[in-house]
Amino acid sequence: MATEETNNTQGPPPSQQSSIPDYPQLILEAIEALNEKDGSNKSAISKHIESTHSDLPGAHSTVLSHHLNKMKQSGQIVMLKNNYSKPDPNAPPKRGRGRPPKPKAPIPPGTVVSPPRPRGRPPKPKDPFALPKPKITASTGRPRGRPPKKAKTATAAAPSPPPGVKRGRGRPPKV
């Protein structure tokens, strides 16, 4: 029961699918029919398709933009100054971004190619019976970390003035 309901909701019926035009084909036909020197812009292509086909979907402009972008990415059409045109058959193929890869030397037949070495740090051994390695400490005879602060002693402090003498203001003079 549930499978019958889901089959009815998947897209339009077969009779309507044949009436939806093949957009890449329509776009190429429109560019050829308009035959403009610098190519045809999106609105001219859209108007030509609307004039030749009356059974277009409601979202025609959105679908047209989508297919124009897809065809531009795949290289079926070329865009120059907001105009779409067919690519020149004599033009060299479009290069990708970045530096091209180095040409690889051909491998002689019969040579077995080993798989590439894995990247990153190699994994630790998973032997559960292996004894743990003893920790090696670089012992210099001193404990780790900052040494503790030593307490001040009375002899290390500056001699205090006699009890009856007042100290003057400011910095004392050099002696």
Side-chain angles (χ1 to χ4, degrees), residues 30-91:
I31 291 172
E32 287 174 5
L34 292 168
N35 199 20
E36 295 177 359
K37 177 185 161 201
D38 296 327
S40 308
N41 61 11
K42 186 168 117 180
S43 61
I45 294 170
S46 177
K47 285 178 185 174
H48 183 271
I49 292 172
E50 287 172 359
S51 66
T52 55
H53 298 277
S54 60
D55 56 343
L56 296 173
H60 164 68
S61 61
T62 309
V63 177
L64 179 69
S65 299
H66 169 74
H67 283 284
L68 284 170
N69 285 331
K70 259 177 71 173
M71 292 174 72
K72 182 173 69 171
Q73 294 296 327
S74 67
Q76 292 177 336
I77 57 174
V78 179
M79 182 177 185
L80 290 170
K81 299 179 185 175
N82 283 343
N83 290 336
Y84 296 94
S85 61
K86 284 188 164 184
D88 184 20
N90 300 337

Side-chain angles (χ1 to χ4, degrees), residues 93-151:
K94 188 178 176 186
R95 243 177 33 112
R97 292 178 49 176
R99 185 179 183 141
K102 290 182 179 178
K104 294 184 179 180
I107 300 171
T111 308
V112 178
V113 180
S114 62
R117 219 174 84 213
R119 295 180 59 167
R121 186 177 185 155
K124 290 184 177 180
K126 305 250 180 187
D127 188 9
F129 300 113
L131 295 173
K133 293 181 182 177
K135 291 188 177 179
I136 301 171
T137 56
S139 178
T140 58
R142 288 190 285 177
R144 290 177 46 194
R146 188 180 178 117
K149 199 172 188 181
K150 296 192 175 171

Side-chain angles (χ1 to χ4, degrees), residues 21 23 29 53 90 116 157 174:
Y23 267 89
E29 288 174 4
H53 298 277
N90 300 337
K174 283 187 182 178

